[in-house]
Amino acid sequence: MTNPQSAPVLKVVDLSLRYLTRGGAVKAVQDVSFELAEGQALGLVGESGCGKTSVANCLMRLLPDNAQLVAGQVLIDGQDILSLTEDKIREYRWQQIAMVFQAAMNALDPVYKVGQQVVEAIEAHGVEATVSLARERVARLFRMVGLDPALMDRYPHEFSGGMRQRAVIAMALACDPRVIIADEPTTALDVIVQDRILRELKGIQQQLHMAVIYISHDIAVIAEVTDRIGVMYAGRLVEYGATEDVFRAPLHPYTAALMGSFPSIAGEKRVLANLSGEPPNLIDPPPGCPFHPRCIHATEVCRQEIPPRVQRGSQWADCWHPLEESAVPESVEAGEV
Amino acid sequence: MTGYLVRRAGQMVLTLFLIITVAFFLVQAQPGDYASFYALNPDLPPDVREQIRASFGLDKPLWEQYLIHLKNTVTGNFGVSFGHFPRPVMDVLIERVPRTAVLFLTATVFSFYIGFFLGKAIAWRRGGVLEYTATISGATLFTVFTPAFALMMIWIFSFRLGWLPVGKFLDPLVWRHADVTANHVFGQMLLTAFLFTVFAFLVLWALRKTGRVALARWAGPLIAVGAVVVLLLWSISSVGGLALDILKHMVLPIVTLTLISFAGTMLLTRNSMLETVREDYVMAARAKGLPEKQVRDRHAARNALLPVVTSLVYSLIFAIDGSVIIEVVFSWPGTGLTLLQAVRTEDLPLVMGAMVFIGLFSLLAHVIVDILYVYLDPRIRYQ
């Protein structure tokens, strides 16, 4: 599925972001780097508050006023979008990178017809010359995501949750973006609809040869649709690699813990591992490895020094005590911190 | 919708009946009546006093007076004003209500426009100089003692600067040789304003219907051309100078009213919009690459409009009964001033006529706003 010879369409280099608050600077994203080629799907996983959505907002450059970019570049076809002017960024949004929003319920404006909200995006970028052409385009998009084009002239409150999610996907596709960020695309839906929509999204991605970044707290959902996976903890990318490798043999104890905390329908019945504790306070993160207070393998060195990068094939992790290849998720069952 | 409107009409009839009943007995509860002014004259013999009372119909028992009054009101007969004898109540009201309506409608439109515009601007860019200036001056004007402020405006602009007339509806010196009545000229001005508003809406509607963004930009200039043509026609007409005199008299009350009332809309819009700017669809609109102005106006401000429209109901009622204070200070012969005089002199038919008018318009304003809601928020439907 990966296509190594195509040049990366998106390149994130050493991205660091913090939010200035009364309590101090919250280091929301630290030294995050990854690449994404055309037609590739990357998954970013982690608990709430570990910086996934902040990374997404950086890519869209949709940051709140108190956000401060400390360092880093976001390159699309070699163009650093973090240095663009307000006017340029507006052209870049939706045409280069579009977003399927977290909580699609609220991403549609209640007072406009759904079709009109997609037309609006098409008009803003001058993708189609007239309103009727734009409407035809919306009809095509609706059919692509499995919605009846007649629903264009309905209001969001007349849609079911699944229909809204499809509409939001259609909206993201409106200007043929090169990259789509799907931020918790299906979290609010029931499991069956969730699965169907994810599969359709994957089909569309392969058909249009787009690059997609999936963001979720649910590593199982991500695993089904991505080629690569990045695990985030405390604003850092702590493990990265081909999805199958990471899934087969995670290097970082945090990844293993995340995998252990979701039930598997197909696998054998087992007690779910419970990752106790909470992600650290990012105003004053713990020294050394940020995961050490919750890690069952933590030793003195973890508490004091930043862990080194361990490489294994396509996969790497920042850890002092990477798990062995045989150390499958069962090992976290004993996890009591 | 039709069923809803029928039910609303039924409710309106009932409410109006209650207004008439309560108002009638309230006025009657005042000590004395219109005939007492004559009846207390010691030079009149007792049978003449009784005759005067009988001629006003005030000798009948209260319930009988009430029933007669109710019957007449239902049949559309508002009677003859005691104080403006022999003018019918309807005649007095038809002269006075438009004067108040024009003054207060204009002021309401201005204060809503300014309030909404400022409110969305300060909600969009928080913490700027504009926010502090607008909030502090708006709140000060909103809470200032109205008569004092109105008198201060008159003192500055009429006495000190001499730019505008002191008060009243027109300047008798200008009208001395006029061969038309003020009501006639004012009626024509109202007609012009109404036709121009219709024209402006038609232009906006027609250009939007074409569905081309480039054409919609011409709406502003086109309406401006229309306004220039109207003004030119008026200035060459024979009554242009007279109309200008009336307009001059309107400026100061309108400016004063706008200044003391815009802050309400402004703060309401600001608070409402501070909530909508945090909504996901506003973020989505920005992510779609829409220009900031479009994100603000079409999404954030548009959704913040609903509570603002609710407050418009009260302002619309204000536009019919006027503000007694403003009308007294500016000697503006409108409904408020008329009602006050009628109550003081116990001019029963005029009080009742004015109350019915005000009641009817307030009820209509509520219905209009309820219907407007359906267009503003597609989630609202009436069964």
Side-chain angles (χ1 to χ4, degrees):
Chain A
M1 234 186 294
T2 32
N3 194 352
Q5 58 264 39
S6 62
V9 51
L10 173 74
K11 206 170 162 182
V12 175
V13 187
D14 293 333
L15 191 66
S16 293
L17 172 84
R18 57 186 185 186
Y19 296 112
L20 304 175
T21 66
R22 247 173 240 171
V26 179
K27 300 170 191 79
V29 179
Q30 283 197 74
D31 303 321
V32 168
S33 303
F34 57 85
E35 282 183 9
L36 199 58
E38 244 170 38
Q40 217 176 38
L42 166 75
L44 286 180
V45 276
E47 289 162 282
S48 311
C50 66
K52 299 163 298 181
T53 300
S54 290
V55 169
N57 290 348
C58 269
L59 298 184
M60 295 294 297
R61 238 182 82 180
L62 277 176
L63 294 166
D65 291 337
N66 65 338
Q68 190 187 29
L69 274 165
V70 183
Q73 286 177 308
V74 174
L75 300 160
I76 294 224
D77 291 331
Q79 164 75 57
D80 182 10
I81 65 115
L82 297 181
S83 62
L84 288 179
T85 60
E86 255 333 288
D87 276 340
K88 288 273 175 211
I89 197 81
R90 211 160 50 221
E91 287 169 29
Y92 149 91
R93 282 179 193 148
W94 229 247
Q95 280 195 301
Q96 300 290 332
I97 280 203
M99 198 161 176
V100 175
F101 283 91
Q102 188 171 6
M105 306 296 135
N106 310 325
L108 294 166
D109 190 329
V111 303
Y112 295 107
K113 290 169 182 163
V114 176
Q116 170 59 28
Q117 300 188 42
V118 186
V119 167
E120 192 179 48
I122 297 171
E123 273 179 348
H125 295 286
V127 178
E128 300 282 359
T130 65
V131 175
S132 56
L133 281 174
R135 284 182 62 87
E136 276 170 35
R137 190 186 182 94
V138 178
R140 278 202 304 279
L141 292 168
F142 267 42
R143 270 190 288 270
M144 192 186 275
V145 297
L147 281 177
D148 181 357
L151 293 171
M152 270 168 77
D153 292 318
R154 294 289 186 84
Y155 289 98
H157 69 274
E158 298 172 285
F159 276 42
S160 71
M163 283 155 80
R164 281 187 225 188
Q165 191 55 262
R166 287 164 198 269
V168 169
I169 294 170
M171 192 154 86
L173 298 170
C175 300
D176 287 331
R178 314 209 41 196
V179 182
I180 282 190
I181 304 170
D183 189 358
E184 303 276 6
T186 55
T187 306
L189 303 174
D190 65 77
V191 183
I192 295 168
V193 179
Q194 181 177 333
D195 196 50
R196 201 185 300 147
I197 288 186
L198 274 177
R199 224 169 282 168
E200 282 172 13
L201 192 53
K202 189 179 178 185
I204 292 168
Q205 179 223 347
Q206 284 167 346
Q207 185 190 337
L208 301 178
H209 210 59
M210 288 181 309
V212 179
I213 300 176
Y214 289 92
I215 293 177
S216 179
H217 61 276
D218 185 343
I219 196 166
V221 164
I222 293 259
E224 280 179 52
V225 287
T226 57
D227 315 303
R228 301 192 163 246
I229 203 160
V231 180
M232 286 193 73
Y233 187 76
R236 292 171 188 274
L237 209 50
V238 293
E239 175 153 7
Y240 182 85
T243 305
E244 48 217 273
D245 295 341
V246 173
F247 235 71
R248 190 172 43 81
L251 277 167
H252 202 286
Y254 179 62
T255 314
L258 273 184
M259 286 163 61
S261 55
F262 285 98
S264 152
I265 296 171
E268 62 187 277
K269 200 160 139 191
R270 61 183 168 82
V271 179
L272 286 178
N274 181 18
L275 178 62
S276 61
E278 281 168 29
N281 169 7
L282 294 179
I283 292 178
D284 189 19
C289 171
F291 187 57
H292 82 252
R294 301 167 76 190
C295 183
I296 45 169
H297 306 286
T299 56
E300 202 47 43
V301 66
C302 303
R303 287 184 253 281
Q304 278 158 16
E305 280 173 65
I306 303 268
R309 186 153 290 185
V310 187
Q311 192 92 31
R312 183 169 70 202
S314 74
Q315 187 183 358
W316 59 255
D318 290 344
C319 186
W320 282 108
H321 310 291
L323 302 174
E324 298 301 317
E325 214 152 321
S326 59
V328 277
E330 274 74 16
S331 69
V332 286
E333 262 180 66
E336 295 170 282
V337 185
Chain B
M1 188 77 181
T2 323
Y4 170 78
L5 285 178
V6 169
R7 247 179 309 133
R8 274 307 285 269
Q11 286 170 5
M12 277 172 69
V13 170
L14 187 68
T15 317
L16 202 59
F17 166 75
L18 289 175
I19 290 174
I20 293 170
T21 308
V22 171
F24 183 85
F25 288 108
L26 266 181
V27 178
Q28 293 284 36
Q30 286 190 105
D33 53 39
Y34 193 76
S36 347
F37 295 111
Y38 304 98
L40 291 175
N41 187 343
D43 296 338
L44 293 176
D47 57 322
V48 178
R49 290 184 202 173
E50 278 314 302
Q51 227 176 328
I52 290 173
R53 279 180 65 83
S55 70
F56 284 112
L58 295 169
D59 59 333
K60 294 194 176 69
L62 200 56
W63 61 269
E64 201 185 330
Q65 288 186 42
Y66 170 69
L67 286 182
I68 294 170
H69 176 76
L70 203 61
K71 192 192 112 216
N72 286 344
T73 309
V74 170
T75 51
N77 176 7
F78 288 89
V80 175
S81 162
F82 293 166
H84 297 256
F85 192 83
R87 289 178 72 189
V89 167
M90 210 50 180
D91 195 43
V92 177
L93 287 177
I94 279 174
E95 176 190 291
R96 300 292 171 89
V97 170
R99 294 181 180 183
T100 291
V102 166
L103 193 72
F104 284 83
L105 266 184
T106 316
T108 306
V109 168
F110 279 156
S111 78
F112 260 83
Y113 190 79
I114 294 170
F116 189 64
F117 185 82
L118 281 175
K120 73 184 184 191
I122 62 179
W124 199 242
R125 291 215 181 285
R126 304 235 22 223
V129 182
L130 180 69
E131 178 167 14
Y132 294 114
T133 324
T135 313
I136 292 171
S137 57
T140 310
L141 290 168
F142 195 62
T143 47
V144 80
F145 185 51
T146 310
F149 180 68
L151 286 171
M152 196 191 79
M153 292 291 283
I154 293 177
W155 183 72
I156 295 174
F157 292 101
S158 305
F159 284 105
R160 285 281 139 183
L161 300 171
W163 291 350
L164 294 163
V166 176
K168 296 220 183 309
F169 185 63
L170 44 79
D171 183 356
L173 289 179
V174 176
W175 289 74
R176 196 161 47 180
H177 301 295
D179 47 5
V180 285
T181 64
N183 286 347
H184 175 73
V185 176
F186 194 60
Q188 298 225 307
M189 287 164 72
L190 284 186
L191 189 66
T192 313
F194 176 71
L195 290 178
F196 181 71
T197 313
V198 171
F199 161 76
F201 272 107
L202 277 181
V203 167
L204 283 174
W205 179 78
L207 288 181
R208 187 174 284 186
K209 271 281 151 188
T210 60
R212 285 178 190 276
V213 186
L215 267 176
R217 281 201 204 103
W218 286 96
L222 214 62
I223 293 170
V225 168
V228 170
V229 169
V230 168
L231 287 179
L232 269 178
L233 285 178
W234 269 94
S235 65
I236 56 170
S237 82
S238 55
V239 292
L242 301 174
L244 187 67
D245 183 54
I246 294 181
L247 278 181
K248 263 197 211 158
H249 282 80
M250 285 170 65
V251 173
L252 206 51
I254 287 177
V255 169
T256 308
L257 266 173
T258 307
L259 282 177
I260 59 177
S261 60
F262 83 93
T265 313
M266 179 181 81
L267 296 176
L268 190 66
T269 308
R270 172 180 167 277
N271 291 350
S272 172
M273 192 147 142
L274 284 181
E275 275 170 33
T276 58
V277 290
R278 277 200 295 266
E279 294 283 352
D280 287 343
Y281 51 75
V282 172
M283 167 116 126
R286 197 173 286 138
K288 281 194 277 186
L290 304 185
E292 279 293 284
K293 196 170 165 289
Q294 208 172 330
V295 177
R296 185 190 67 185
D297 293 350
R298 291 201 48 151
H299 294 280
R302 174 66 175 73
N303 278 282
L305 195 62
L306 273 146
V308 180
V309 169
T310 311
S311 85
L312 185 69
V313 188
Y314 302 104
S315 307
L316 280 179
I317 295 158
F318 204 42
I320 288 124
D321 69 354
S323 149
V324 174
I325 294 170
I326 289 286
E327 291 193 359
V328 169
V329 174
F330 288 100
S331 316
W332 185 264
T335 333
L337 197 59
T338 309
L339 186 60
L340 183 70
Q341 280 167 354
V343 169
R344 272 193 189 146
T345 56
E346 300 209 34
D347 186 345
L348 189 63
L350 190 54
V351 174
M352 292 311 297
M355 290 304 287
V356 170
F357 240 84
I358 292 167
L360 198 62
F361 274 102
S362 327
L363 292 172
L364 276 177
H366 274 94
V367 173
I368 288 169
V369 168
D370 281 352
I371 293 171
L372 207 59
Y373 267 168
V374 176
Y375 290 94
L376 285 176
D377 190 340
R379 284 167 296 185
I380 295 173
R381 283 285 171 271
Y382 301 118
Q383 267 102 42

